Amino acid sequence: MKNRKIALYPGTFDPITNGHYDIIERARNLFDEVIVAVAESKDKNPLFTLEQRIQMVQIAVKNLKGVRVVGFNNLTVELAHEQDAGVLIRGLRAVSDFEYELQLGYLNNSLDETIETVYLMPKLKHAFISSSIVRNLLKFHGKTEHLLPKEVQKIIGSLT
């Protein structure tokens, strides 16, 4: 039987935002361990490499006990099995996220009925933040300091 105290938070994290961090922090208060799973996601054509995204997440969560970071390139349900995680964490920012996330949750449940999906909403001050918004701002050298963890902002500044 899976240890239901381990949660997996999968995503592309291109880059990790304050909204992601908020979800990770709050999930950590609900579970013994949270595994942040950074997807390779070549089909999404990420701005940052998998290694850079993993590094950014690791630096962002370094002070959160019970949080670790892994990279992956397989089905989320398969990774959950590998990591002995019984819960998937998904973030919901707005109603527009709901339909996609609901379908994804049903798909994962159809692949393994023992894995639960828990949806968390970021705090209202982070609800508008998405990685795609940050990438667009970066493309035009816009201000992103208020959207990213400070350590991540420093890394991105050194890369661009």
Side-chain angles (χ1 to χ4, degrees):
M1 183 167 168
K2 293 184 185 331
N3 180 349
R4 296 283 178 195
K5 298 288 185 182
I6 300 174
L8 186 73
Y9 182 27
T12 307
F13 303 103
D14 185 38
I16 183 171
T17 68
N18 287 336
H20 293 128
Y21 184 85
D22 181 43
I23 296 288
I24 295 164
E25 193 173 40
R26 290 170 55 237
R28 179 56 192 95
N29 289 328
L30 299 172
F31 300 98
D32 296 324
E33 181 179 15
V34 175
I35 303 164
V36 182
V38 182
E40 187 169 16
S41 296
K42 284 185 181 177
D43 57 321
K44 287 187 173 182
N45 197 23
L47 179 61
F48 300 100
T49 67
L50 177 61
E51 293 76 21
Q52 290 170 327
R53 291 180 283 128
I54 290 170
Q55 179 191 24
M56 284 187 249
V57 176
Q58 286 173 328
I59 289 171
V61 302
K62 71 181 179 212
N63 293 324
L64 294 178
K65 291 185 181 180
V67 176
R68 63 186 171 94
V69 182
V70 298
F72 77 107
N73 188 26
N74 58 340
L75 291 174
T76 302
V77 171
E78 290 174 1
L79 181 64
H81 283 280
E82 292 168 12
Q83 301 294 324
D84 199 27
V87 175
L88 300 178
I89 301 293
R90 300 299 298 173
L92 292 175
R93 292 178 307 242
V95 174
S96 57
D97 291 340
F98 183 75
E99 186 174 358
Y100 172 77
E101 292 296 343
L102 185 67
Q103 289 175 340
L104 193 58
Y106 284 144
L107 170 64
N108 288 326
N109 187 258
S110 77
L111 297 173
D112 184 342
E113 292 181 349
T114 68
I115 294 179
E116 297 291 340
T117 301
V118 172
Y119 302 94
L120 295 176
M121 298 178 299
K123 291 178 183 152
L124 188 57
K125 68 182 180 178
H126 302 303
F128 73 97
I129 305 171
S130 70
S131 292
S132 58
I133 286 173
V134 170
R135 288 192 306 274
N136 283 332
L137 286 170
L138 290 171
K139 185 168 44 172
F140 295 104
H141 307 289
K143 180 182 171 189
T144 57
E145 294 83 10
H146 59 300
L147 307 175
L148 301 170
K150 288 177 188 174
E151 301 85 358
V152 173
Q153 182 68 43
K154 287 178 190 172
I155 292 171
I156 290 173
S158 72
L159 295 173
T160 56

